[in-house]
Amino acid sequence: MARKHYHFTSESVSEGHPDKVCDRISDEVVDLFYREALEQGFDPSAVRVACETLATTNRVVIAGEYRGPASVTTAKIEAAARHAIKAIGYEQAGFHWNTAKVEILLHAQSADIAQGVDGGEKKDEGAGDQGIMFGYACDETPELMPAPIYYAQRILKLLAEARHSGAEKALGPDSKSQVTVEYRNGKPVAATQIVVSHQHVDESLTSKDMLKLVKPYVKKALPKGWITKHTVWHVNPTGKFFIGGPDGDAGLTGRKIIVDTYGGAAPHGGGAFSGKDPTKVDRSAAYAARYLAKNVVAAKLAKRCTIQLSYAIGVAQPLSIYVDTHGTGKVSEAKLEKAIAKVMDLSPRGIRKHLNLNRPIYARTSAYGHFGRPPDQDGGFSWERIDLVKALKAAVK
């Protein structure tokens, strides 16, 4: 039986966190390949990128494999990395967009991988790797996301907007948040513990100064009434956060997979998203699973929905489709599994076509979560649409 009264905690990190700097750079490289492909007449469905980034004090190392238009040069990749660092806001002595050394170690994609993944006219395109992917949705927020991760992300997003606009000149790019939510009768009702650690550019600022600065943004981020006299605050609990970003701690692509998804409220298959083109089912199938789970909940077929998809390298269709509605379903999970296979082609090519993923839409996903964000006008975050509601309702009848 599901618990009705409990506390659950999720964390988030900002775009300036060292790992997120690396995610942003890796996704800028993916976008670069797609932009160049579209400009040069190179088939975007043939683009392949698996880009990993490491960042430390005034150094960035970009490694991995690719296939794409010859117009993508090392100079353009370096420019994309510097653009990402500048856009985030790093102009400090230990990590500066203009002076950091950028080393590029990308190489051509393995022919062994390519032969199993590429599809010709007579065969389906296979998955880029084996693996399991999960999608999740619930009715705790209007965005159908778990409340703890959604509000932890929102706190940092508001603070970042204030920093970029110049409204809060004391803030640096690096920050983390954590929200503990109290659930009563299975519903989120209050924030009992709030943690915000935020870099500041004035070394003299104290924890009390930062609490005063941060508090209004936290209150704006959370639902009315969630902050009470019992809420415990932890703002820069170590006392000072002046040295931040890759100068304070090395970063790597793909180390914030729980921050990127559901904050621990749902399973994760283990694969990261950033730096990967959508032939990699780590990314595209996780997007598809979220899309399907969100549409199940939006259709009011369940209050909570977890979907698992599994794939084998070189095999087009998923090996399995699993649905769990956690006792909240209006129809059986078996019926939903059949309906999901009916309303969407879950081959890698089918996913990319349905969600229109062969485009430069990935840098924007690299911070503040891949899910729970409104679809962009140009089709970014297409996996957040709820356009399968009617089809799912019809399929389960």
Side-chain angles (χ1 to χ4, degrees):
M1 181 180 293
R3 294 177 63 189
K4 292 185 176 181
H5 309 295
Y6 57 95
H7 295 80
F8 193 86
T9 304
S10 292
E11 71 154 346
S12 178
V13 298
S14 73
E15 66 203 78
H17 184 280
D19 296 331
K20 282 287 140 198
V21 172
C22 294
D23 284 346
R24 173 69 179 269
I25 292 170
S26 293
D27 275 337
E28 289 282 2
V29 173
V30 175
D31 283 355
L32 172 64
F33 272 91
Y34 277 114
R35 279 194 301 271
E36 292 286 323
L38 293 169
E39 290 174 6
Q40 301 297 324
F42 186 94
D43 180 6
S45 71
V47 167
R48 301 289 185 269
V49 184
C51 177
E52 311 291 346
T53 301
L54 176 148
T56 186
T57 302
N58 269 332
R59 182 179 288 268
V60 172
V61 179
I62 302 171
E65 59 183 28
Y66 69 91
R67 184 176 71 196
S71 60
V72 178
T73 62
T74 55
K76 288 182 178 179
I77 294 170
E78 179 178 337
R82 295 192 187 280
H83 164 76
I85 299 166
K86 185 177 182 180
I88 292 167
Y90 275 111
E91 294 186 339
Q92 61 194 43
F95 196 69
H96 195 293
W97 66 269
N98 193 40
T99 59
K101 182 176 180 181
V102 179
E103 186 175 3
I104 299 166
L105 303 173
L106 289 166
H107 60 81
Q109 183 192 41
S110 161
D112 291 346
I113 294 176
Q115 71 178 356
V117 175
D118 293 346
E121 293 182 0
K122 296 183 179 180
K123 69 172 186 174
D124 290 331
E125 174 187 275
D129 202 351
Q130 70 176 47
I132 57 174
M133 298 84 208
F134 288 92
Y136 181 74
C138 61
D139 64 358
E140 293 179 12
T141 63
E143 295 75 15
L144 305 184
M145 285 289 288
I149 185 63
Y150 177 76
Y151 293 116
Q153 303 275 28
R154 182 165 165 75
I155 289 168
L156 296 184
K157 189 76 161 59
L158 291 177
L159 286 165
E161 289 170 358
R163 176 175 63 86
H164 284 298
S165 71
E168 298 292 354
K169 293 182 171 58
L171 297 178
D174 195 356
S175 60
K176 303 177 78 171
S177 67
Q178 191 166 283
V179 178
T180 300
V181 174
E182 179 183 0
Y183 285 76
R184 296 180 200 152
N185 294 316
K187 297 290 184 182
V189 298
T192 60
Q193 304 271 348
I194 293 170
V195 183
V196 178
S197 295
H198 210 300
Q199 184 185 12
H200 46 90
V201 298
D202 181 348
E203 194 168 4
S204 68
L205 292 179
T206 66
S207 293
K208 287 184 178 180
D209 296 328
M210 292 301 292
L211 173 62
K212 185 178 179 181
L213 188 157
V214 162
K215 211 168 192 179
Y217 295 96
V218 176
K219 289 183 174 179
K220 184 178 179 181
L222 299 183
K224 187 177 180 180
W226 274 37
I227 304 292
T228 72
K229 63 181 180 181
H230 302 294
T231 302
V232 179
W233 295 78
H234 309 270
V235 176
N236 285 18
T238 63
K240 186 169 73 171
F241 189 179
F242 179 67
I243 300 172
D247 188 32
D249 189 11
L252 288 170
T253 300
R255 286 204 298 196
K256 288 292 176 284
I257 58 177
I258 301 303
V259 169
D260 284 342
T261 53
Y262 309 103
H268 194 294
F273 302 156
S274 290
K276 298 176 182 178
D277 75 79
T279 66
K280 281 73 172 174
V281 283
D282 277 345
R283 183 168 217 161
S284 56
Y287 289 174
R290 160 64 180 173
Y291 172 61
L292 291 163
K294 185 176 184 181
N295 275 269
V296 167
V297 176
K300 299 190 183 303
L301 297 173
K303 291 180 177 293
R304 293 174 60 201
C305 182
T306 298
I307 293 175
Q308 185 205 58
L309 304 174
S310 68
Y311 290 85
I313 188 168
V315 179
Q317 291 299 322
L319 307 185
S320 64
I321 300 172
Y322 168 80
V323 175
D324 184 357
T325 56
H326 308 277
T328 70
K330 300 294 180 65
V331 298
S332 72
E333 280 99 344
K335 187 172 284 190
L336 282 170
E337 288 163 0
K338 291 179 180 178
I340 284 168
K342 183 177 180 180
V343 301
M344 185 176 180
D345 177 1
L346 289 171
S347 68
R349 179 179 290 165
I351 292 170
R352 298 208 325 269
K353 183 177 179 180
H354 190 109
L355 298 178
N356 200 7
L357 298 179
N358 290 326
R359 291 176 300 146
I361 56 173
Y362 297 105
R364 71 192 76 171
T365 69
S366 61
Y368 312 114
H370 291 246
F371 308 129
R373 317 248 310 255
D376 292 334
Q377 289 185 347
D378 67 352
F381 296 100
S382 57
W383 49 93
E384 291 296 313
R385 300 188 314 239
I386 50 172
D387 53 1
L388 284 183
V389 167
K390 288 184 179 179
L392 281 168
K393 285 181 175 179
V396 299
K397 284 185 178 179

